Amino acid sequence: MEQDIQLMRLVRLADIEQNRLLRPRFVELGLTLGQGQPRILNYLASHDGVTQRQLADACHIDAATISRTLDQLEKAGLLRRTQAPESRRAYLVVLTEQGRRIASQVQASFAQADQTACAGLSPAQRAALRQGLEEMLRSLRAAQALPGTDGSF
C-alpha cells in the first residue's frame, strides 16, 4: 500500500513540475495557468465549436470558473461564443484566428514539456508508463462508478 501512495504522490509531483516548467511560456503568451486557460485553448485546438458545458466537462473546470475564464479569453480576442442553433441557452465556443495561433503554441508547449519529462525514458519505458497511467485512470473511474457509492473512501 505504501508504494501505491508514493506512486500517486509522484504523479502529482510530476504534474506540479510540469506546471512550473510551462508557467513562464504561458505567461509569455498572456495566459493564466491556474484558471485553465492553456487547457481550454489546447482542447479547443482540436474540438473547436463545442458547447461551454462540454468544454467545462472536458477540461474538468466548474461552470462558474469556465464562464469567468471564457470571458477573459473572449476579451483578449482569443475566442468567441455564439448561440447554439439547437438551444437558446447553450453557447458554442469557437477560436478566433488569433486564438488558433496561440492555441497552436500552447499545443507545442505541452508537447515539448512531454518530451522533456520523458527524455530519460526509452520508448519501451514510455509505452509502459502510458499503459500503467491509462490503467490507473480506468481503475479510478471505475471506483467512482460503483453502485451505492459516491466514489469516496
Side-chain angles (χ1 to χ4, degrees):
M1 184 63 149
E2 180 65 26
Q3 285 180 333
D4 293 338
I5 293 170
Q6 292 302 314
L7 180 59
M8 292 305 293
R9 186 170 188 278
L10 284 172
V11 169
R12 179 67 183 127
L13 287 172
D15 182 54
I16 290 167
E17 293 302 325
Q18 180 188 40
N19 287 341
R20 285 184 183 153
L21 177 67
L22 289 168
R23 185 175 313 279
R25 176 65 176 138
F26 292 150
V27 167
E28 180 182 299
L29 293 172
L31 303 175
T32 304
L33 198 73
Q35 297 172 349
Q37 291 178 353
R39 243 182 312 160
I40 290 168
L41 293 173
N42 188 50
Y43 186 79
L44 287 173
S46 55
H47 300 88
D48 209 16
V50 297
T51 66
Q52 192 167 312
R53 180 80 210 143
Q54 290 169 322
L55 183 59
D57 290 344
C59 294
H60 307 284
I61 300 173
D62 67 78
T65 302
I66 194 91
S67 182
R68 283 191 311 271
T69 303
L70 292 179
D71 287 345
Q72 292 168 344
L73 291 169
E74 193 167 28
K75 186 177 179 179
L78 301 181
L79 59 82
R80 68 181 191 288
R81 289 178 271 193
T82 60
Q83 191 145 13
E86 67 277 355
S87 171
R88 293 186 328 183
R89 293 187 295 161
Y91 288 91
L92 300 178
V93 182
V94 181
L95 290 170
T96 63
E97 281 302 316
Q98 181 184 0
R100 277 191 271 288
R101 283 192 301 275
I102 297 293
S104 176
Q105 293 177 56
V106 166
Q107 285 183 308
S109 296
F110 278 129
Q112 182 60 48
D114 281 354
Q115 288 297 317
T116 299
C118 295
L121 300 177
S122 69
Q125 289 172 317
R126 286 181 191 204
L129 177 60
R130 175 181 291 280
Q131 184 179 7
L133 290 171
E134 288 172 351
E135 187 55 43
M136 287 172 63
L137 282 173
R138 278 191 289 277
S139 296
L140 291 168
R141 289 176 178 154
Q144 294 174 57
L146 292 174
T149 71
D150 63 2
S152 61
F153 295 98

